[in-house]
Amino acid sequence: MASNTVRAGTVLPVAAARWVMWAFVIVNAAIVEGLFLSAGSGKNDVLTVAKFFGLNAALLMLFQLLLVARLPWLDRRIGMDRLTVWHRWVGFTLLWTVLTHATLVVLGFAILDDTSMAKTFVALSGVPASLLGMGAAATILVIGVVSSRPLRRRLRYEVWHGLHTLLYVALGLAFVHQLLETTTFTSSAFAKAYWWFLWLFAFGALLTGRVVMPLWRNAYHRFRVAAVVPESGDVVSVYVTGRHLDKLPAQAGQFCIWRFPGHQHWWLANPFSLSAAPGGMGLRLTAKAVGDTSAGLRELPVGSRVFVEGPYGAFTSLHRSRPGALLIAGGVGITPVRAMLEEQTTGDTVVLYRVRSEADAVLLDEVRHLVALRGGRLHLLTGRTGEGGTPPPFGPDSLHRLVPDVTERDVYVCGPPAMTAAVLAGLRALRVPARQVHAEKFGMA
């Protein structure tokens, strides 16, 4: 369970994590540039520049691995959503860096041999080290194309994710490619030790976070469905039990990635927030039927096996910096807020719950009970936006009217993207300090 310690005047965990990441990037970038300068120039100026881009491409690949390794220390402080966004932008930077490196290599050897780039390309494809590099570059290009927004929106997540795993093939090819290039891996004893350490560290972190830890946790806790409870016509809660759940490092506000292999295909997975504070007795998720996985939750047999990845996310009280809290939820986004209310023990709490009608308010009775138990205030905001000439519910005027001291509170926001964007815009207009605003997208990509 996370504490409600208020960190006023101190460095927040998210800021500390970002400083650590920047320090990691700067230190390793400096080492790589130093290795580049100490290794000497290439056979001509073009090949020297190509080597520069190749070394930096290797560093970007390793950073890519660490961003998606789901390291608990980073995930709890920065959040999977932000790490995934950074992974995306680093990925496109990697794509252009690799293409630049490959183009310059072909151009450099074409100049050296006084021949065309086409003939040089064919000749290089007969060299094992170069062929592996070409394979890695081609794979990264394919991943970049399918990850572009127009194509990504047209692909099911499972299809896109399957294609995206080709990145690991590209990394394997790139590793062997670099291993065979004596000018980078064996230019000095330090260079060899450095690159081996960095590759092993990155691959080790990925395997630990994405494979070893989930398998170990599921073998240790043995998660099972304890009960399935309909909350409304299209919302259901699933209660999950297991062994030694008091040792599961879960916090209110976090989410897990859930699979139900005995009931649905193993590759079907969804991120659902914990809708109750994890107290060691069991876990609960509450979901709305919007896809194949969530729609089938009503039919889960009691006692069936559950495969759980996580918990993940930085939407927790770890980031509290003010005594008072404002929790804003929209629709089924109330689930992590409801869990945080159960954990909340200090400070004044206000909840804004946005739904079309009271009948759509999931877990409303539980939220009302928890808010009353803690002496807080609940505002149920119903109706359509702009209906009857009323001002937007999350505009700066409305927020200030409902919560006059909003600038003195930590604000947690969870809801549909449009609602979240409106809330964040309203908070910026009211000049609520960024360190007091916490919003997270609960998703896998």
Side-chain angles (χ1 to χ4, degrees):
M1 295 282 289
S3 69
N4 287 308
T5 303
V6 175
R7 295 174 172 79
T10 63
V11 177
L12 290 179
V14 63
R18 285 175 175 171
W19 278 109
V20 169
M21 290 188 66
W22 274 113
F24 176 84
V25 171
I26 292 171
V27 168
N28 283 279
I31 292 174
V32 168
E33 307 320 322
L35 292 176
F36 166 72
L37 294 173
S38 63
S41 59
K43 295 179 179 179
N44 58 33
D45 291 343
V46 175
L47 290 174
T48 300
V49 177
K51 183 171 68 172
F52 170 82
F53 279 97
L55 289 172
N56 283 278
L59 185 60
L60 286 170
M61 287 183 187
L62 296 169
F63 192 44
Q64 278 284 75
L65 287 179
L66 294 176
L67 286 173
V68 294
R70 295 177 185 169
L71 302 174
W73 190 84
L74 281 180
D75 179 79
R76 291 172 184 272
R77 286 159 177 79
I78 295 177
M80 188 191 294
D81 60 337
R82 290 179 178 83
L83 292 173
T84 302
V85 170
W86 296 348
H87 170 79
R88 174 181 174 81
W89 287 112
V90 172
F92 283 115
T93 304
L94 171 63
L95 171 62
W96 291 111
T97 304
V98 167
L99 291 179
T100 302
H101 167 69
T103 302
L104 290 175
V105 167
V106 176
L107 176 61
F109 278 106
I111 295 173
L112 191 66
D113 297 334
D114 192 23
T115 186
S116 68
M117 291 184 66
K119 290 183 179 179
T120 303
F121 180 85
V122 173
L124 288 174
S125 65
V127 180
S130 299
L131 182 60
L132 290 169
M134 291 175 184
T139 306
I140 291 172
L141 178 60
V142 170
I143 296 170
V145 170
V146 300
S147 296
S148 62
R149 292 194 184 278
L151 284 180
R152 174 67 185 90
R153 289 169 178 166
R154 288 172 170 78
L155 294 174
R156 288 173 58 90
Y157 171 77
E158 290 79 14
V159 175
W160 173 84
H161 185 262
L163 293 172
H164 202 72
T165 55
L166 291 173
L167 176 64
Y168 304 125
V169 175
L171 290 168
L173 295 174
F175 170 72
V176 181
H177 167 72
Q178 188 181 20
L179 187 63
L180 295 176
E181 289 289 346
T182 57
T183 57
T184 58
F185 231 83
T186 58
S187 60
S188 68
F190 175 79
K192 188 173 183 179
Y194 170 77
W195 283 113
W196 270 109
F197 170 79
L198 208 56
W199 278 102
L200 291 175
F201 173 70
F203 275 117
L206 182 75
L207 289 173
T208 300
R210 300 295 293 268
V211 179
V212 176
M213 187 60 70
L215 290 176
W216 180 86
R217 278 186 179 160
N218 281 271
Y220 181 68
H221 294 295
R222 296 184 184 177
F223 300 105
R224 298 279 177 180
V225 175
V228 179
V229 179
E231 302 290 354
S232 68
D234 59 353
V235 177
V236 63
S237 288
V238 178
Y239 293 77
V240 176
T241 188
R243 304 186 310 162
H244 313 300
L245 293 184
D246 57 311
K247 294 185 169 71
L248 182 69
Q251 300 175 10
Q254 290 190 300
F255 69 97
C256 296
I257 297 173
W258 308 81
R259 286 182 171 86
F260 305 95
H263 180 66
Q264 295 169 325
H265 298 299
W266 63 267
W267 61 82
L268 292 177
N270 273 89
F272 296 127
S273 298
L274 298 173
S275 59
M281 300 300 294
L283 305 174
R284 185 179 78 168
L285 67 96
T286 301
K288 187 174 182 178
V290 294
D292 294 339
T293 305
S294 54
L297 293 180
R298 286 179 181 274
E299 311 303 324
L300 281 175
V302 173
S304 59
R305 190 162 60 94
V306 184
F307 191 88
V308 181
E309 292 182 52
Y312 300 124
F315 196 79
T316 68
S317 59
L318 177 68
H319 304 277
R320 288 286 302 275
S321 64
R322 308 297 298 176
L326 169 60
L327 310 178
I328 303 176
V332 78
I334 193 65
T335 53
V337 168
R338 185 259 178 237
M340 294 181 74
L341 281 171
E342 193 173 8
E343 179 189 79
Q344 194 81 13
T345 58
T346 62
D348 174 46
T349 301
V350 178
V351 178
L352 304 184
Y353 188 6
R354 174 69 169 148
V355 287
R356 287 189 176 182
S357 67
E358 187 168 335
D360 297 320
V362 181
L363 307 177
L364 179 58
D365 290 340
E366 296 183 19
V367 172
R368 278 177 171 157
H369 172 71
L370 290 169
V371 171
L373 196 64
R374 282 146 184 76
R377 288 175 287 148
L378 169 64
H379 295 281
L380 187 64
L381 309 177
T382 61
R384 294 179 179 273
T385 301
E387 188 176 54
T390 56
F394 298 116
D397 293 338
S398 297
L399 285 172
H400 187 265
R401 176 176 53 80
L402 293 168
V403 192
D405 61 344
V406 61
T407 59
E408 300 301 319
R409 296 174 178 270
D410 274 298
V411 185
Y412 288 80
V413 187
C414 184
M419 190 209 84
T420 300
V423 173
L424 297 180
L427 295 173
R428 284 194 298 270
L430 291 171
R431 299 181 183 274
V432 178
R435 64 181 271 136
Q436 295 169 213
V437 179
H438 317 284
E440 187 171 13
K441 178 183 178 182
F442 300 87
M444 295 184 288

